[in-house]
C-alpha cells in the first residue's frame, strides 16, 4: 500500500501583494467639476492613481491635459471607495510611487 506523507509549510508571502502595505493616507487627483479622478493603466489593470506624497501626485498631474485638477488627501479606505465608484474598467487602487512597479490593491 502506498502512503503519502504531507508536510505543512508556512509560505513567506502566501498571497501576492500582502507584503506591500499601502500608507494610511494617499494623494489623488480630482477634477471637481466633472467628478473625475486620475487613473492609470499598468499591464492592462486600470486603477485609481494614488501617491504617498503630494509631490508625487503633482508630478503625475502634469501629464494630464485637464484644467482644474486638485490634489486631495484621502484615507486608504476612502480611496478604495472612490475606486469602487469608478466605472469599469477600473478594478484597483494603485500606489504609483514607482510607476514601473506599482502596488496594486484590487477592489473587484
Amino acid at each position: 500500500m502506498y502512503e503519502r506523507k504531507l508536510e505543512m509549510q508556512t509560505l513567506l508571502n502566501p498571497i501576492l501583494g500582502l507584503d506591500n502595505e499601502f500608507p494610511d493616507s494617499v494623494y489623488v487627483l480630482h477634477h471637481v467639476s466633472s467628478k473625475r479622478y486620475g487613473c492609470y493603466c499598468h499591464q492592462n489593470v486600470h486603477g485609481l492613481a494614488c501617491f504617498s506624497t503630494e509631490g508625487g501626485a503633482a508630478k503625475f498631474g502634469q501629464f494630464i491635459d485637464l484644467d482644474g485638477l486638485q490634489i486631495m488627501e484621502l484615507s486608504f479606505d476612502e480611496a478604495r471607495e472612490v475606486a469602487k465608484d469608478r466605472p469599469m474598467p477600473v478594478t484597483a487602487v494603485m500606489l504609483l510611487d514607482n510607476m514601473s512597479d506599482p502596488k496594486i490593491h484590487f477592489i473587484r
Side-chain angles (χ1 to χ4, degrees):
M1 178 180 243
Y2 180 76
E3 189 174 317
R4 187 172 163 186
K5 185 177 180 182
L6 296 175
E7 292 183 26
M8 299 297 276
Q9 294 180 354
T10 301
L11 299 174
L12 295 177
N13 292 317
I15 299 175
L16 182 65
L18 279 186
D19 58 333
N20 295 331
E21 300 233 357
F22 275 72
D24 292 334
S25 64
V26 294
Y27 294 89
V28 299
L29 293 170
H30 184 219
H31 190 252
V32 178
S33 62
S34 67
K35 298 182 183 175
R36 293 182 177 180
Y37 288 83
C39 291
Y40 187 71
C41 181
H42 178 76
Q43 297 181 350
N44 294 320
V45 176
H46 295 260
L48 176 69
C50 298
F51 301 86
S52 61
T53 66
E54 191 172 354
K59 284 173 71 174
F60 182 73
Q62 293 173 350
F63 298 103
I64 300 174
D65 187 25
L66 187 61
D67 290 333
L69 284 176
Q70 295 181 356
I71 297 172
M72 289 180 60
E73 183 178 10
L74 301 174
S75 70
F76 175 71
D77 289 336
E78 290 170 328
R80 287 185 75 239
E81 291 305 313
V82 167
K84 286 179 183 179
D85 288 343
R86 301 299 92 210
M88 290 299 285
V90 173
T91 59
V93 175
M94 291 185 176
L95 186 64
L96 297 174
D97 292 342
N98 178 356
M99 293 192 64
S100 63
D101 186 26
K103 293 180 182 176
I104 299 174
H105 174 82
F106 289 93
I107 49 110
R108 53 176 143 225

